[in-house]
Amino acid sequence: MSPSHTLAAVTEQAQAAARVAAESAGVKVSDENSLAGFLEIEALFNRVWLLPPGESAIPSELLRSISHAGCNVTAARDPAGRLVGAAAAIVTPQSTSMYSLIAGVLPGISDRGVGFALKQHQRAWGLARDLTEMTWTFDPLVSRNARFNLTKLGAQVSEYAVDFYGPMQGEMNANDESDRLVAVWPLTSDESAACSDDRPIAVERPDFTPNDVLKIGPDGDPVLVAADGDLWCRVPADIVALRGQNPQLAAEWRRSIRSIFTDIFASGHIARGVSRDGWYRLAPGGTA
């Protein structure tokens, strides 16, 4: 089969998977190109990130420019037409990659699959334009997002960016440093296709003994272990709540995870999944 036919087949699969994901989440997902829609999206993102009045996660005029330039602004609406999620991505010049700037879902409905439907729409959008990879950044301490990105979607990580945006404002970030992992999502991979059909690879942290423990976390429990040929790194169950309750302990977690990930990535390991209880699976480079 020729590469073009292969890409066409993957694109068709992605479009079908995107339709199923939207139906399962009970939303209509489409490209947004209206000023009224961009204003709604700006307000939704500000609500998701708990920003104070006058602050904006991404201004509506920038969303309009992104859309006008031929890049991606995606909106998810419920049957009543209410905006419940959105995402925006730009195209990387002179490459086959797209870059996801932002994605968010209305608080209180994050378990309905709206975020998954948004990403599957973006995957299909990119493949229809011969784009085969998407990248974005996310906070390594937010285990829920990490599991969604690496396990649910099939992305992988081998780069840690220290204080990527500088100090972050807003109640959610609590003035924490903005360390980020750089997710790379191969849109044509077998794993990404399986994930799009809701068949992700199971990631379960193996049992380990005290001899397997390499480091202890800020809470006094194991944070880095070696088991079954991989390294496993744990992050807090809810770093957002911890930032509000104990900022000092949250900052200790930031420093601890920063040290661990920078050393592990320097050794050639790749983050390939996250368990439900917040353990990253870090496999040697070249292994599945």
Side-chain angles (χ1 to χ4, degrees):
M1 183 178 292
S2 69
S4 61
H5 287 165
T6 301
L7 184 57
V10 174
T11 301
E12 184 177 351
Q13 181 275 329
Q15 292 170 339
R19 288 192 295 270
V20 170
E23 291 171 2
S24 177
V27 294
K28 179 181 179 181
V29 183
S30 61
D31 298 336
E32 182 58 68
N33 54 25
S34 73
L35 179 57
F38 300 141
L39 288 166
E40 285 184 277
I41 291 173
E42 178 183 6
L44 181 141
F45 286 149
N46 292 348
R47 182 176 174 184
V48 170
W49 271 269
L50 304 175
L51 294 178
E55 297 285 340
S56 180
I58 185 166
S60 59
E61 56 265 34
L62 179 55
L63 290 167
R64 187 174 184 86
S65 297
I66 290 169
S67 175
H68 189 251
C71 296
N72 175 265
V73 180
T74 298
R77 298 182 181 276
D78 66 13
R82 180 182 63 148
L83 182 73
V84 294
I90 57 176
V91 178
T92 304
Q94 299 179 334
S95 78
T96 57
S97 180
M98 58 192 293
Y99 188 91
S100 179
L101 293 173
I102 190 169
V105 174
L106 194 67
I109 64 168
S110 57
D111 292 329
R112 277 179 32 187
V114 176
F116 185 73
L118 286 167
K119 298 310 290 185
Q120 297 310 318
H121 180 90
Q122 286 187 311
R123 175 174 177 256
W125 186 96
L127 288 168
R129 291 159 178 79
D130 296 333
L131 304 173
T132 58
E133 180 182 274
M134 181 187 293
T135 63
W136 64 90
T137 64
F138 67 95
D139 188 339
L141 294 180
V142 182
S143 61
R144 182 186 182 92
N145 288 350
R147 184 174 182 274
F148 176 81
N149 292 332
L150 274 62
T151 302
K152 186 73 172 175
L153 295 180
Q156 53 190 250
V157 173
S158 61
E159 180 182 352
Y160 190 100
V162 176
D163 207 17
F164 188 72
Y165 295 108
M168 299 287 285
Q169 305 301 314
E171 185 178 337
M172 179 176 290
N173 293 295
N175 300 316
D176 191 9
E177 292 180 287
S178 58
D179 288 16
R180 294 293 184 265
L181 292 178
V182 180
V184 178
W185 191 21
L187 304 182
T188 61
S189 73
D190 291 343
E191 182 177 354
S192 295
C195 287
S196 74
D197 288 330
D198 202 21
R199 295 182 290 109
I201 296 174
V203 179
E204 300 292 341
R205 176 188 55 82
D207 294 332
F208 60 88
T209 69
N211 291 333
D212 298 323
V213 176
L214 302 179
K215 287 191 176 182
I216 298 297
D219 57 0
D221 291 328
V223 69
L224 180 66
V225 302
D228 290 357
D230 295 326
L231 297 177
W232 295 81
C233 180
R234 177 177 61 89
V235 294
D238 190 344
I239 188 63
V240 176
L242 184 61
R243 285 172 182 147
Q245 298 164 3
N246 191 335
Q248 182 176 351
L249 181 58
E252 291 176 14
W253 271 105
R254 175 72 68 201
R255 291 189 292 270
S256 174
I257 296 303
R258 176 188 294 171
S259 174
I260 289 170
F261 271 109
T262 51
D263 287 347
I264 288 175
F265 289 149
S267 70
H269 284 72
I270 298 172
R272 292 188 176 273
V274 180
S275 67
R276 289 186 179 276
D277 54 351
W279 287 82
Y280 283 83
R281 176 193 170 217
L282 297 140
T287 64

